[in-house]
């Protein structure tokens, strides 16, 4: 009996579930930031050009974006003007970092922790009429408009969650597991299935901290693939070129195809 979860059947994350997940993810991050030594704040991360301090500034900025829609839009306007060589989202993220350049590590930690309950409440009560507003024409899975509901319920949550792994990798601190791990991994696999499209079906076994068995594509799997769950997420986000996806059986070209898939984080 095939126990794989068909990734395309994973339901979109609703605002109530997202709000609960934010509390778990952000509380874990706040604890990790509080535990940093002064020297660790200046360590480089896997995010190009960012130190740990920059990472914290970005995450604080993401909280502020979730709390005020005009902030989201204004940062995108400034990002487009200031960083025309970057994507709209990357440019806005860099503006988040710029906006908090003057804060100390202690101030970043305090502000981030103070915002956790506010963000969760905002996400849980976000008006449906605003959730449908598009902030970019093509950035959502399937090359469709990225809407505020998806940005808040999925992308900002996934981004904060993945930065927990970035922080652990940069500092050597263990990353605290969160109650949102399964939900966010499901989001990721759902969007991966969208990006995979109508290609040949594959069964993917994830091992390690993020484990499970998933199917991408419809029909009988044409390959059985295996990967470390964290490394797959790093690949899907564009953090690494070497995916570590192994072909257990079937067409090895499908492992290469999965290694080329990228989704929005």
């Amino acid at each position: 009996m095939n126990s794989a979860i068909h990734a395309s059947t994973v339901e979109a994350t609703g605002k109530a579930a997202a709000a609960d997940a934010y509390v778990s993810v952000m509380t874990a991050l706040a604890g990790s930031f509080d535990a940093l030594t002064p020297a660790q704040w200046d360590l480089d991360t896997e995010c190009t050009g960012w130190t740990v301090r920059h990472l914290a500034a970005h995450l604080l900025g993401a909280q502020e974006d979730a709390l005020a829609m005009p902030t989201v839009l204004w940062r995108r306007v400034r990002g487009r003007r200031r960083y025309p060589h970057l994507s709209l989202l990357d440019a806005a993220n860099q503006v988040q970092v710029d906006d908090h350049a003057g804060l100390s590590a202690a101030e970043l930690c305090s502000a981030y922790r103070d915002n956790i309950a506010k963000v969760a409440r905002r996400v849980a009560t976000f008006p449906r009429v605003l959730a449908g507003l598009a902030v970019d024409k093509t950035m959502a899975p399937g090359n469709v408009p990225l809407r505020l509901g998806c940005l808040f319920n999925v992308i900002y949550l996934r981004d904060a969650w993945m930065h927990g792994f970035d922080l652990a990798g940069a500092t050597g601190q263990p990353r605290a597991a969160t109650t949102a791990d399964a939900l966010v991994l499901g989001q990721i696999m759902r969007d991966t299935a969208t990006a995979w499209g109508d290609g040949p079906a594959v069964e993917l076994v994830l091992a390690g901290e993020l484990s499970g068995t998933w199917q991408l594509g419809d029909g009988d799997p044409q390959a059985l693939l295996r990967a470390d769950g964290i490394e797959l997420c790093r690949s899907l986000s564009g953090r690494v070129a070497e995916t570590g996806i192994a072909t257990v059986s079937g067409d090895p070209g499908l492992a290469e195809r999965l290694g080329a898939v990228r989704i929005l984080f």
Side-chain angles (χ1 to χ4, degrees), residues 75-226:
R75 280 182 170 146
R76 275 152 180 74
V77 170
R78 286 189 289 150
R80 186 183 293 111
R81 294 173 180 170
R82 194 178 299 176
Y83 302 104
H85 59 289
L86 297 178
S87 71
L88 181 61
L89 188 59
D90 286 343
N93 289 344
Q94 191 59 50
V95 171
Q96 292 170 341
V97 174
D98 297 345
D99 285 349
H100 301 106
L103 295 183
S104 68
E107 288 169 332
L108 285 170
C109 288
S110 177
Y112 189 77
R113 189 176 288 280
D114 287 348
N115 281 336
I116 293 175
K118 299 175 189 176
V119 171
R121 186 163 54 249
R122 172 64 167 164
V123 171
T125 60
F126 196 71
R128 180 175 297 181
V129 66
L130 296 181
L133 292 179
V135 294
D136 189 275
K137 295 180 179 179
T138 59
M139 288 184 67
N143 203 36
V144 298
L146 174 63
R147 302 188 184 280
L148 280 172
C150 179
L151 188 67
F152 290 170
N153 294 350
V154 176
I155 304 304
Y156 280 164
L157 173 60
R158 177 190 300 169
D159 179 68
W161 176 85
M162 194 67 202
H163 283 316
F165 294 101
D166 295 329
L167 184 60
T171 64
Q173 289 184 177
R175 178 240 174 209
T178 76
T179 58
D181 286 355
L183 180 144
V184 177
L185 181 59
Q187 291 177 350
I188 291 168
M189 296 311 300
R190 181 178 189 267
D191 287 355
T192 301
T194 299
W196 186 261
D198 58 0
V202 297
E203 185 172 320
L204 174 63
V205 178
L206 300 182
E209 187 175 339
L210 304 175
S211 59
T213 303
W214 300 84
Q215 179 169 326
L216 304 175
D218 295 323
D220 295 330
Q222 302 302 301
L224 175 61
L225 309 179
R226 186 179 299 274

Side-chain angles (χ1 to χ4, degrees), residues 17-31:
D20 290 341
Y22 270 111
V23 173
S24 180
V25 169
M26 292 189 297
T27 299
L29 280 166

